[in-house]
Each structure stands twice: as structure tokens, then as C-alpha cells.
Amino acid sequence: MALRKQMEKYRDVDEDELLKKLSEEELQRLEDELEELDPDNALLPAGYRQKDQTKKAPTGTFQRDNLLAHLEKQAKEHPDREDLVPYTGEKRGKPWVPKKKVVDPILEDVTLEPELEEALANATDAELCDIAAILGMHKLMSNQQYYEALGSSNIVNKQGLNSVIQCTQYKPVPDEQPNDTDVEETLERIQRNDPDLIEVNLNNIKNIPVPVLKAYAEALAENCVVERFSIVGTRSNDPVANALADMLKVNTTLKSLNVESNFITGPGILALVESLQSNTTLLELKIDNQSQPLGNKVEMEIASMLEKNSTLLKFGYHFTQQGPRLRGSNAMMSNNDLVRKRRLEEGPIFPKCRTNV
């Protein structure tokens, strides 16, 4: 408080008036002091930001040898700190002994003639591998050389070729037989309601025109025999999906529809799922593995439509988002639970409405 009262008298001092009273010599000295000092510059060392105010006179010349001798004497006179556990030189634990390499006594006794020793010493890597294949020394052989040695007719004793490097020989898998379904004949059988035609499988037939696939959908709309219809990998697109959606609205026989691995986009998939609101007989619908991802918005709409359906038991599609996946799974579980209750009660029950789920 006393210092503050002393400094208050300088608060109203006019600096310009003080500078006018200074002589030229005093102004030059003030200017020199301000050039050397910069108290506001934090980048400068402290010695350059203020004036040296030490008035102590030097004590004399610096003698380095005397200082080192004094420090060494002081260090020797300082007592050492006692160890918590005194050092006795006793060795504890077992000394390390390297393991002895076990040498096969049979290989120890093997001696070769000087000519063979010289030939092996001058042999290349490729020649050594060939010799190993002939002698059955499998550890020096690659997998390819191992199997070539097994198929060779020059090696009599092939039992020595068995080794840990032997790879699993994969069994050849024959190619899948092409689909031999007659497209035109099957379409005619659907149109005339052939009682023996319960399943139609057009999988992996690449050359079916789109108008023919649409004709299949139109024929199934009036068919009352076919229960399973599959067009996997037939390059079907949205017009085919829309035709199948119109078919599902009026068909009362079809129980399984598979349109996986095609070129159907989001609008076509939504048309198929939306048609389930008018269909109560379809139990299985597979739409997975299309050429384009459906997206989050389409998946949310699919989940909402599945919640409104109470008859579909199997829905073949892998949702990419967790929310629609959980909603679709719950809808299928609820539908299967309704079937279980119907089977236990052995009587019809009214479908449960889940529009507000």
C-alpha cells in the first residue's frame, strides 16, 4: 500500500513537459539508453532487456586448476552412502550352459571319397537341389521339386520323401453343369398350367431376353401350380422386377421367389417388397447380391414394409445398416412365431398388425 501511494504522485505527471526541460546532452543519453534496452521484448535474454546494475568489483583472475583440485578434495572427503545390501561377491543362480547339439551317430560315421567331396563343394544350388531330390533329402527341396520327385520314375524308394513341408493337395472340383432348362418349353408349360411343373429354375442362363422374363411374370400371374420360381444370375433388371411385382399382387400359389445376383436397383427392389402387402402366400423372398448397393434410405423403407407384412417367413438380404437389419430380423421372427402359434393351436389366427412398430 505504501508503494502504491508513492507511485500515485507520478500518475498525473506530464511526460512532454519533462522532456522539454531536458538539455540536448540529457536527451542524447536517454536515447542511447532506450536503444540498448528493450524491456518488452521477451525474445531477448534478461541481460539485454535491462541495465547491468551490479557494482561488485572483480575478485581477481580465475584459476581453473585450483578450482578442480578443490572440487576433487571435497568429493573425496564426502562419505559414501551405505548400500542397503552389502556386496559380498557371492554368485547366485545356476550358471548358463549352452545346449549340446545332438548329432546323429549314423551321419557322424558317413565319410565320402575325396572326389565326391570336391564335387559337392563346387556344385551350384540347382545341382544340389537335384541331388537332394535323387537322394530323398526333402529338406533341401522346394515344394515344386518335391512333387516332381514324387512323379519321377527314376526314384525307386519314395518313402523318404515324406516331410513336414508337404502341402495339401487340393482335390479338383469339376465345373458346375450348365442349366439345361428349355426356356421356351418351360414358358409354354407355365401358360397351360402344367400340373407337374412345381418349380421353375432359370438360374445362370445369361441369354434370356427381358421380354421373355416379363412373359414369365405375366404367365405366373395366372398360374396356379408353380410354387418356386428362381432367376438367379439372369441379368434381370428393373422392368423384370416391376413385372414380378405386378405378378405377386395377383398370384396366390407362389411360395418362393429368388432374384439374387442380378441388375435390379433400389426402385425395382422396393416394388417387389411393396407388392407383399397385397400377397399373403409368398413365404420366401431373396433379393441379395445385386450389382449396385441399395443404400440406407432404401433399406429403411424395406424394413418398414417388412414390419407391415405378417406372412413372409424368410427374407434373403444382408442389410448394411444395423438399424434396418434389426428391424427386418425382428419382423421375420415375429412372423415365424405367428406360424408356430397357429401350428400349436391347430386353427387359424388373425395376423398381428405391426404398423406402429
Side-chain angles (χ1 to χ4, degrees), residues 237-254:
N237 50 12
D238 286 351
V240 178
N242 293 328
L244 291 174
D246 297 337
M247 177 268 297
L248 289 176
K249 294 178 182 179
V250 298
N251 184 278
T252 58
T253 309
L254 195 65

Side-chain angles (χ1 to χ4, degrees), residues 33-34 36-46 48-50:
E33 293 289 341
L34 293 177
E36 295 178 359
L37 304 179
D38 189 4
D40 296 331
N41 190 355
L43 300 178
L44 292 177
Y48 292 97
R49 280 182 283 168
Q50 59 185 2

Side-chain angles (χ1 to χ4, degrees), residues 185-204:
E185 181 184 356
T186 306
L187 178 59
E188 293 178 359
R189 294 177 62 185
I190 294 176
Q191 292 174 348
R192 67 172 184 263
N193 273 337
D194 189 348
D196 298 331
L197 187 62
I198 300 178
E199 180 178 1
V200 177
N201 185 354
L202 304 179
N203 294 347
N204 301 322

Side-chain angles (χ1 to χ4, degrees), residues 12 80 98 110 127 149 179 218 266 283 287 290 305 327:
D12 300 330
D80 295 336
V110 174
E127 293 174 347
N179 195 339
E218 296 173 359
L283 304 179
I287 60 172
Q290 302 299 326
M305 295 177 186
R327 293 171 60 186

Side-chain angles (χ1 to χ4, degrees), residues 174-180 203-204:
D175 295 335
E176 185 179 356
Q177 296 295 330
N179 195 339
D180 56 354
N203 294 347
N204 301 322

